[in-house]
Amino acid sequence: MLKRLVGFCVVLVLTFGLCLPAFAEKALVGDIDGDWVVSSSDARKILEYARSGEELPAYIKAVADIDGDGKITENDARLALKYAIDGTERLVEVEPPDDETSEVEYMCLTVGETCDLKSFGDFSVSAWRSTDTSVAAVENGKIVAKALGSCEISASNGKKTHTVRLRVSPAVSDEAPLLVIDVSSHQGKVDFNAVRDSGITAVLIRLGIGNFAKYPSQKDSRFDENVKAACEAGLDVGVYVYSYAENTEEAAAEANATIDALKDLGGMLTYPVYFDYEEFVLGKALGTEVVRTYCEMLRSAGWYSACYASASVFFYNLDKAALRDYDFWVAAYGPDDGGIYDGAISRFLGKDEYAMWQYTSKGSVPGITTGVDLNFCYKSFPKTIINGGYNGFRPEGLPQTVVPVVAPSASGSAQAGAKVYSDAVIPDELKYSQSGEE
């Protein structure tokens, strides 16, 4: 079915600006060593050029010819020293060099963050360009993230170019969490532009239920449509799989189904791939192994995996310490399931134990005609995922590896239809269901 997602190349162009326009780059006049400061060392270098008579590339000549007479002379060196003393800064447009080599990487910053151009590589930067200076630009030798969106920043020294495909995401903190929704076919057709305009920053989209590779009807009927539309709206996107696994073998099968279904989405998902653990609440040891089996297989295939469950399931039925490598998305509703009730989660988990809190299943959001789950997100997943090279955000894309199927756990496998194991603890408030899954 993912063949229908060939059109996602359009999304990638919109998202990361893969088609670079041909326009001039910016350089600081007199800054020969590329540190974005005109100094006495730059003046000495210009003096060396003037005395050697060396034929310089047009790219470097434009920076060194300070008086603009078309030649590199001792007067240019004197002007460089003057600029170094009085702090004069002038920018000049230069034609992009015909570089011998080019490197590309991905990066994410939050609005207002900066990054030194020197971090681009082990060479001095002589000039830079941004495909969208309203999203990010270079000021005083630093990349400045200005607004939500994506662009490309390129730094060059005339022989080598280093390009970063930059995503600027919202800033987040415990005091100012991000608003996130999760949707499935239950929500019907979603207007993601209206969702975005309402202040929602990200959406988690159901991929399927159980082993949808073996049972195709269990793949969410709106997954392809939802991912495409959410990406085109500029939202951050993650996915979740509602698990039916009752042992590690079934968890491995669901992991393989997930990996295959996502193989064409490398470089697009900026939120995790969640294992939704709520259908079969197993004993603590077996349940933990089931969750870990799925998450480890996704990580080995290059995906940033994580786990969803209710607060009481995390507390009573999963070994949190054994799953510490995977972020927790926790469902915890108040008595009326409609408002924000801190006690619903704080009695089970400390604030530092979860990255996202699903606080109601009865939310209302423009662009969605049904009720919808609402979540507070306390972590910058785009930064973690993009800067960590997960989800295909690396030049080589996703790992080309075959993930082995894991044998059933020694804890034993479930009997058909069994939902509870002997050491499972199920208090009354245990079960929460994703919208439409009950």
Side-chain angles (χ1 to χ4, degrees):
M1 292 178 69
L2 282 175
K3 290 182 179 178
R4 292 183 295 168
L5 297 181
V6 171
F8 275 172
C9 61
V10 176
V11 178
L12 287 174
V13 171
L14 292 173
T15 304
F16 285 105
L18 300 186
C19 298
L20 292 177
F23 56 84
E25 297 183 353
K26 301 282 187 180
L28 185 63
V29 173
D31 178 26
I32 301 300
D33 59 15
D35 63 357
W36 282 84
V37 176
V38 180
S39 64
S40 59
S41 64
D42 294 309
R44 285 194 296 272
K45 189 66 177 177
I46 293 173
L47 183 60
E48 290 176 13
Y49 288 153
R51 291 176 173 175
S52 70
E54 177 184 351
E55 184 63 29
L56 300 174
Y59 192 83
I60 302 298
K61 189 174 181 180
V63 176
D65 181 18
I66 299 178
D67 59 14
D69 65 357
K71 298 177 291 184
I72 308 301
T73 65
E74 292 185 6
N75 186 54
D76 294 309
R78 285 192 291 270
L79 286 172
L81 187 58
K82 178 179 180 298
Y83 284 9
I85 294 171
D86 63 23
T88 298
E89 292 185 354
R90 288 172 46 210
L91 292 178
V92 62
E93 291 190 348
V94 295
E95 290 302 315
D98 184 16
D99 291 352
E100 298 172 359
T101 60
S102 180
E103 295 180 354
V104 178
E105 67 173 286
Y106 293 91
M107 180 188 293
C108 181
L109 299 173
T110 56
V111 175
E113 277 194 313
T114 63
C115 178
D116 198 311
L117 271 179
K118 292 179 180 179
S119 67
F120 269 60
D122 57 353
F123 64 94
S124 297
V125 177
S126 297
W128 64 272
R129 66 179 173 188
S130 168
T131 58
D132 190 340
T133 54
S134 68
V135 173
V138 175
E139 300 174 358
N140 298 319
K142 295 181 182 293
I143 302 171
V144 180
K146 295 189 170 184
L148 301 181
S150 299
C151 66
E152 292 201 356
I153 301 285
S154 296
S156 177
N157 66 355
K159 295 182 179 180
K160 183 178 181 181
T161 293
H162 197 101
T163 299
V164 167
R165 292 172 182 168
L166 178 67
R167 175 88 170 184
V168 180
S169 65
V172 59
S173 67
D174 287 348
E175 294 71 32
L178 302 176
L179 294 176
V180 178
I181 61 171
D182 53 274
V183 302
S184 68
S185 57
H186 175 73
Q187 273 69 44
K189 186 173 181 61
V190 176
D191 181 348
F192 286 105
N193 289 320
V195 169
R196 175 203 62 213
D197 293 342
S198 74
I200 300 297
T201 62
V203 56
L204 302 171
I205 298 171
R206 188 177 71 174
L207 171 56
I209 300 171
N211 185 357
F212 48 85
K214 184 176 181 180
Y215 305 104
S217 64
Q218 292 178 189
K219 182 178 178 182
D220 193 288
S221 60
R222 288 191 177 270
F223 175 72
D224 296 350
E225 172 189 344
N226 281 340
V227 170
K228 182 176 185 294
C231 287
E232 288 177 341
L235 290 164
D236 285 308
V237 176
V239 304
Y240 70 93
V241 172
Y242 187 93
S243 177
Y244 275 178
E246 298 182 73
N247 54 55
T248 55
E249 184 177 40
E250 291 175 359
E254 291 180 359
N256 281 325
T258 303
I259 292 165
D260 184 65
L262 298 180
K263 64 180 181 295
D264 294 329
L265 300 186
M268 295 185 65
L269 303 182
T270 51
Y271 265 61
V273 178
Y274 283 98
F275 183 73
D276 183 349
Y277 179 67
E278 61 180 292
E279 182 66 21
F280 298 135
V281 180
L282 311 172
K284 190 169 188 176
L286 178 56
T288 300
E289 285 305 306
V290 163
V291 172
R292 188 160 55 184
T293 293
Y294 180 94
C295 289
E296 284 184 353
M297 290 180 64
L298 266 291
R299 286 284 175 96
S300 70
W303 294 98
Y304 193 84
S305 51
C307 179
Y308 168 95
S310 73
S312 52
V313 166
F314 276 116
F315 186 80
Y316 290 110
N317 292 89
L318 290 172
D319 183 345
K320 293 182 293 181
L323 298 174
R324 63 183 178 275
D325 290 337
Y326 309 105
D327 290 296
F328 294 170
W329 172 20
V330 183
Y333 312 152
D336 60 350
D337 182 16
I340 301 169
Y341 178 58
D342 287 334
I345 192 168
S346 62
R347 57 183 170 151
F348 294 112
L349 298 168
K351 196 65 178 287
D352 61 346
E353 292 186 288
Y354 58 92
M356 193 151 58
W357 172 23
Q358 184 184 87
Y359 64 89
T360 182
S361 64
K362 297 180 179 179
S364 177
V365 173
I368 300 177
T369 58
T370 68
V372 64
D373 298 334
L374 298 180
N375 307 268
F376 287 136
C377 180
Y378 302 94
K379 180 171 182 171
S380 178
F381 281 115
K383 284 188 68 174
T384 297
I385 289 170
I386 294 174
N387 296 344
Y390 295 102
N391 296 7
F393 285 101
R394 56 178 64 200
E396 65 272 23
L398 292 165
Q400 299 300 308
T401 58
V402 177
V403 180
V405 173
V406 178
S409 166
S411 302
S413 57
Q415 299 296 319
K419 293 190 178 183
V420 181
Y421 284 76
S422 59
D423 64 335
V425 179
I426 309 178
D428 292 339
E429 67 272 28
L430 180 86
K431 297 280 282 185
Y432 293 90
S433 294
Q434 294 275 11
S435 294
E437 267 86 71
E438 56 270 28

